[in-house]
Amino acid sequence: MTVTPSSPYSEQPGRIMSREMAEQPDVLRRILDVGAPQIRRTAEEVAAKRPRFVLLTARGTSDHAALYAKYLLEVRLGLPCGLTSMSTTTAYSAKPDLRDVLVITVSQSGGSPDLVASTQAAREAGAVTLAVTNNPDSPLAAVSEHHIDILAGPEKALPATKTYTASLLALYLFVEGLRGSDGAQAGALPGLAADLLARQEEIRALAARYRFAERMVITSRGYGYPTAKEAALKLMETSYIPALAYSGADLLHGPLAMVDNISPVIAVVTDGRGGEALQPVLDRLRGRGADLVVIGPKAQVEQASAGFVLPTEDVAEELQPILEIIPLQLLAYEVTIARGQDPDAPRALAKVTETR
């Protein structure tokens, strides 16, 4: 989707978010063409220090990118990973021993004080620190030993879109660099992303179906789980629809009881082991008569109430999250527009959230 002066998106609420979603193919291509060599060098420098454990630090959308990195590091490298609780150092002044630990902090702005403080504390505690940001001049980049610039360009809409997919690709290339790989299989992503964006009419029809939804449940497993969490956040912060994200396994441990034939359930079905693990959950949802929407392979969409077919053929499972989120970004946008709200400026939110 290209935004031009004559485009309907140029004169209506949401035009900034629309433009930034449309930039994603170019951003992905820029990372592959310009950013990849530096990411590979950074990965080589970190690999030389032989970290035995990884801690990931982030908030909001960046936290979902960090969760994606956790799957990559544990599955692709066998490195144990954890998501940090920043308040242990910022509020409780804990001083963990972080020697031989790699601490990766993901932040689009690199400006939140708690991220900066916890990263500084980790470095003082002996950790190898890496910042992944969209701002190489940020305080976070300054206190980190290593930095990766995701090269997304300025992002002005409050809902993060292009910085999310850029973070995923940068983290993928970094992990592949740790493995000694160049990540060449990511080369098809810009073109596939452009194809997805060109299918916005399909998403608009889906959004009309759920314009009056009072809540949504979003579920997935494996590499798709971060996508489910990010999609829920996008829906909540733009359309204000309460959207609950669950791992498919967790959904069966209680929350399944709230599923009925009224509230939509969106299932992100990754084509691979994660999708296979989700299959029993899909069967249970269909058995309960759920209004099931599938984002995933054609065979799964055909068994659902509605859905959106993803081009998963020849796309490695670990790369599919970079594509999965795009139709869900569009869905959040279209639902918000249909409800008469402006996705560019959600109420009560600021672009840089300064938690401490």
Side-chain angles (χ1 to χ4, degrees):
M1 178 182 64
T2 300
V3 177
T4 66
S6 61
S7 166
Y9 297 100
S10 63
E11 298 298 332
Q12 70 176 44
R15 61 186 179 274
I16 302 174
M17 182 181 177
S18 177
R19 182 180 66 240
E20 290 174 353
M21 287 189 295
E23 292 174 13
Q24 290 177 107
D26 289 340
V27 172
L28 296 175
R29 191 171 293 108
R30 187 183 309 132
I31 294 170
L32 292 169
D33 293 345
V34 179
Q38 180 58 51
I39 294 173
R40 178 70 181 273
R41 286 191 291 271
T42 300
E44 291 172 349
E45 292 171 5
V46 171
K49 296 173 183 177
R50 304 179 63 84
R52 289 286 303 129
F53 192 88
V54 182
L55 289 174
L56 294 141
T57 304
R59 296 280 193 203
T61 285
S62 294
D63 197 37
H64 307 149
L67 180 58
Y68 168 72
K70 184 177 188 293
Y71 276 93
L72 287 174
L73 288 158
E74 291 186 339
V75 175
R76 306 284 285 169
L77 285 176
L79 274 176
C81 299
L83 301 175
T84 62
S85 300
M86 280 173 276
S87 61
T88 60
T89 54
T90 61
Y92 293 96
S93 302
K95 297 186 181 300
D97 182 354
L98 297 180
R99 289 173 293 179
D100 300 323
V101 174
L102 169 62
V103 172
I104 303 174
T105 306
V106 186
S107 170
Q108 56 179 323
S109 69
S112 186
D114 59 348
L115 292 169
V116 176
S118 62
T119 301
Q120 179 68 54
R123 190 169 183 180
E124 292 171 355
V128 178
T129 53
L130 168 66
V132 179
T133 81
N134 195 38
N135 183 2
D137 299 319
S138 63
L140 179 59
V143 301
S144 300
E145 183 179 356
H146 303 280
H147 177 258
I148 290 175
D149 185 353
I150 65 172
L151 300 173
E155 188 174 60
K156 296 181 180 180
L158 283 173
T161 54
K162 64 178 181 174
T163 54
Y164 180 68
T165 49
S167 295
L168 297 193
L169 180 54
L171 287 162
Y172 169 79
L173 292 173
F174 172 71
V175 173
E176 288 300 289
L178 293 177
R179 298 177 65 238
S181 168
D182 62 3
Q185 60 182 342
L189 291 176
L192 293 171
D195 292 343
L196 291 175
L197 287 161
R199 294 167 59 191
Q200 188 155 355
E201 288 297 331
E202 294 178 50
I203 295 296
R204 189 170 295 126
L206 196 60
R209 178 186 178 105
Y210 300 119
R211 175 181 177 183
F212 299 109
E214 295 184 0
R215 72 170 185 230
M216 289 187 181
V217 173
I218 307 177
T219 188
S220 190
R221 290 203 68 180
Y223 284 110
Y225 181 41
T227 307
K229 292 175 72 69
E230 173 61 9
L233 175 60
K234 284 292 156 285
L235 284 162
M236 287 189 287
E237 70 182 352
T238 57
S239 68
Y240 316 142
I241 296 174
L244 307 174
Y246 293 101
S247 158
D250 288 333
L251 186 64
L252 298 182
H253 285 266
L256 183 67
M258 71 177 174
V259 173
D260 54 29
N261 62 356
I262 299 174
S263 300
V265 178
I266 299 175
V268 181
V269 184
T270 304
D271 191 2
R273 294 186 182 182
E276 293 168 5
L278 190 64
Q279 189 60 52
V281 182
L282 300 177
D283 293 339
R284 290 284 298 276
L285 289 168
R286 281 190 286 264
R288 289 187 59 82
D291 183 2
L292 179 62
V293 182
V294 166
I295 308 297
K298 182 178 180 181
Q300 292 289 350
V301 172
E302 289 175 343
Q303 298 179 54
S305 305
F308 185 93
V309 177
L310 289 174
T312 57
E313 301 85 359
D314 302 320
V315 179
E317 182 178 2
E318 59 270 16
L319 283 171
Q320 291 176 37
I322 300 172
L323 302 175
E324 289 168 348
I325 191 58
I326 292 175
L328 292 163
Q329 293 172 344
L330 293 170
L331 181 64
Y333 171 89
E334 290 291 350
V335 168
T336 305
I337 293 295
R339 289 163 73 99
Q341 295 151 198
D342 186 356
D344 284 344
R347 63 194 181 202
L349 296 180
K351 186 61 178 173
V352 180
T353 304
E354 294 191 353
T355 47
R356 296 183 183 275

